[in-house]
Amino acid sequence: MAANRLKLRHLRCFMAVFRSGGISAASEVLSLSQPAVTKTLKELESILGTRLIERGRGGAKLTIQGEVFMPRAAACLMELDRAVDTVMAAHSRLEWHVHVGAMPSSETGLLPAAVNLVQREVQTAIVKISTGPLRYLVEKLQEDTIDLVVGHMPALDEMVGMSFEHLYVEPFIFVVRSGHPLADAHPCDISLLKNYDMVLPENSPSDNAHVARLIASIGLVDDIPDRVVSMAPAFIRAFLLETNAISVVPAGVFAREIASGELKELAIDTSHSVSPVGIIRKDDAEYKPAIEVMVRAIQTAARNRLAPDRWAPPKDAPILLEGVAL
């Protein structure tokens, strides 16, 4: 095909001759010699098999075929320039701004790994992380205050106008301080739980239902002691370290503290209490390259999740920008 033989220099030379009105003027615009401009223009006409420009004392004028070719050549160069400008703008600080809402279990494991991947590929990226209860984050998502949410799957009635992309499942567990009377009991005597204050999450109907089923499954429905309701990891950690309270939290919230030995997971089987973790987005959200890159980074980090406290780097550096429409 003739199009396969065309080069950008052919199009730029043709448009320069047309716009400047002659070979001499075009050579100055292109910073080329007049013979070089003439040669390039002849190459283009040879490829197309027709004359595009008539050259005479009055300057260069388009032939009929040139009149047909000119607007399409101009549009081609315009789109190419626009694509280059868009890519360059996408790497600027303004274009690479993404705001992520994070539930406590994802802000300490999944998101640090994902943000690290983004920063490695897009050095100018600005990633803002906001945390809070799922209901609050979903409201901010609906208001377009944040771009996406990473957390547990909301209840169906909270998902109107939104989509959920599943990443992995996470159980709720019972956590205490190291040195707690029940910390080293294997298995833990469930009947003793009622002797201690309990910190329970109040996040969303979905998560509350998971916790309610978990508590009911171990027979604590009517025996829950005085409770504190919180989904603030910093507060819960401090409270557990100062008291003999027991907290029910998603496994990822205190994964690092449990791995270090500061906190302990009670030996209670909670494998039946798993809750899906994923990415929540608005169905009608405006397309932004930065959001797509962030989503790819989160997906990559999730695939490399070894345990609640361990996130392996990908074997091959992910190409987060590949295929993203900029």
Side-chain angles (χ1 to χ4, degrees), residues 16-297:
V17 173
F18 164 69
R19 286 169 176 161
S20 62
I23 300 294
S24 177
S27 67
E28 293 182 8
V29 172
L30 297 172
S31 298
L32 296 173
S33 66
Q34 292 186 35
V37 172
T38 301
K39 178 182 178 183
T40 302
L41 189 57
K42 287 183 176 179
E43 287 177 359
L44 174 61
E45 291 176 331
S46 175
I47 291 170
L48 297 179
T50 186
R51 292 288 297 274
L52 299 175
I53 292 179
E54 293 288 353
R55 297 170 283 278
R57 292 183 179 181
K61 295 184 180 180
L62 294 180
T63 64
I64 294 176
Q65 291 83 357
E67 294 281 0
V68 173
F69 183 71
M70 184 276 295
R72 289 165 175 78
C76 178
L77 291 174
M78 183 181 298
E79 284 301 313
L80 178 61
D81 290 340
R82 185 179 298 170
V84 171
D85 290 343
T86 303
V87 171
M88 294 179 68
H91 282 79
S92 71
R93 286 186 175 272
L94 180 62
E95 292 294 324
W96 281 108
H97 185 282
V98 60
H99 191 173
V100 181
M103 288 180 59
S105 59
S106 60
E107 68 174 296
T108 58
L110 176 63
L111 279 180
V115 171
N116 183 39
L117 293 176
V118 172
Q119 295 289 0
R120 281 165 50 185
E121 184 155 336
V122 187
Q123 287 77 19
T124 59
I126 299 177
V127 182
K128 181 178 180 180
I129 307 295
S130 295
T131 61
L134 182 58
R135 180 173 290 174
Y136 165 79
L137 295 176
V138 168
E139 288 177 357
K140 294 301 179 182
L141 181 64
Q142 293 171 332
E143 295 170 1
D144 293 321
T145 305
I146 58 179
D147 298 311
L148 57 94
V149 174
V150 180
H152 293 148
M153 182 176 181
L156 291 178
D157 60 355
E158 297 178 295
M159 285 290 293
V160 178
M162 293 182 291
S163 62
F164 178 83
E165 178 184 345
H166 178 270
L167 296 173
Y168 56 87
V169 295
E170 180 177 50
F172 284 80
I173 60 174
F174 292 86
V175 179
V176 298
R177 64 174 175 83
S178 179
H180 188 283
L182 302 181
D184 298 318
H186 295 277
C188 178
D189 186 346
I190 294 175
S191 66
L192 298 178
L193 297 185
K194 63 184 179 181
N195 298 329
Y196 302 94
D197 292 342
M198 190 167 290
V199 183
L200 298 176
E202 183 178 41
N203 193 32
S204 71
S206 176
D207 276 359
N208 291 344
H210 281 291
V211 174
R213 284 195 296 270
L214 171 60
I215 291 175
S217 70
I218 62 176
L220 283 181
V221 178
D222 299 320
D223 294 315
I224 297 179
D226 292 339
R227 72 183 73 182
V228 175
V229 178
S230 175
M231 271 300 289
F235 166 78
I236 298 174
R237 173 182 170 275
F239 189 70
L240 292 181
L241 293 176
E242 292 292 332
T243 68
N244 281 334
I246 302 170
S247 179
V248 180
V249 294
V253 173
F254 294 127
R256 298 183 190 279
E257 288 81 357
I258 292 173
S260 70
E262 182 181 51
L263 299 178
K264 293 275 191 175
E265 176 185 353
L266 294 183
I268 299 174
D269 181 15
T270 62
S271 58
H272 54 287
S273 71
V274 295
S275 175
V277 175
I279 303 170
I280 306 167
R281 305 173 69 179
K282 282 185 65 176
D283 291 335
D284 61 351
E286 177 186 356
Y287 179 90
K288 295 181 182 178
I291 297 177
E292 299 308 313
V293 170
M294 188 71 226
V295 167
R296 289 189 178 193

